[in-house]
């Protein structure tokens, strides 16, 4: 399993459009083989900041995701909303265990 997580910030004027684009992206991505979790959420207290969290079966599934038409459409939509910063990371090899 690998995890992808990070933060994407958009211009204030692009928040609603980014939210709609993210909702479409989540719906399509969850249908992909190897996608276990795919989430976007607004960070409380920071309307322009979105948290990305994904769990993938393996690198092959993640690479296939990058080649999908809905990823291309999402990237184009993000280009229109004014992304002001983006920090996305991949975590590999960590074993998932309950916190308590």
């Amino acid at each position: 399993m690998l995890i992808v997580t990070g933060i994407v910030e958009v211009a204030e004027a692009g928040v609603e459009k980014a939210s709609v684009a993210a909702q479409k992206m989540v719906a399509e991505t969850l249908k992909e083989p190897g996608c276990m979790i795919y989430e976007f959420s607004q960070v409380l207290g920071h309307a322009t900041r979105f948290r990305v969290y994904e769990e993938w079966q393996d690198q092959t599934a993640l690479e296939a995701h990058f080649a999908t038409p809905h990823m291309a459409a999402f990237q184009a939509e993000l280009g229109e909303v004014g992304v002001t910063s983006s920090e996305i990371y991949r975590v590999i090899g960590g074993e998932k265990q309950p916190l308590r």
Side-chain angles (χ1 to χ4, degrees):
M1 177 178 77
L2 71 98
I3 295 170
V4 175
T5 188
I7 295 287
V8 175
E9 295 218 30
V10 301
E12 192 170 331
V15 169
E16 182 62 30
K17 189 169 186 169
S19 180
V20 170
Q23 289 175 45
K24 290 188 292 186
M25 184 64 170
V26 168
E28 289 303 312
T29 301
L30 287 172
K31 299 174 189 175
E32 293 180 41
C35 178
M36 298 156 37
I37 296 175
Y38 196 86
E39 299 177 344
F40 279 83
S41 56
Q42 273 182 295
V43 175
L44 295 175
H46 301 277
T48 60
R49 188 177 301 165
F50 292 83
R51 162 73 57 194
V52 178
Y53 183 80
E54 311 169 21
E55 290 182 9
W56 293 91
Q57 185 175 0
D58 53 31
Q59 183 65 33
T60 301
L62 181 60
E63 289 174 10
H65 166 65
F66 290 137
T68 61
H70 52 273
M71 174 57 95
F74 182 63
Q75 293 291 345
E77 288 177 293
L78 284 183
E80 296 173 7
V81 300
V83 172
T84 58
S85 69
S86 177
E87 292 186 28
I88 309 292
Y89 301 95
R90 179 178 58 188
V91 179
I92 302 172
E95 183 178 331
K96 187 176 178 180
Q97 297 179 358
L99 182 59
R100 293 182 184 221

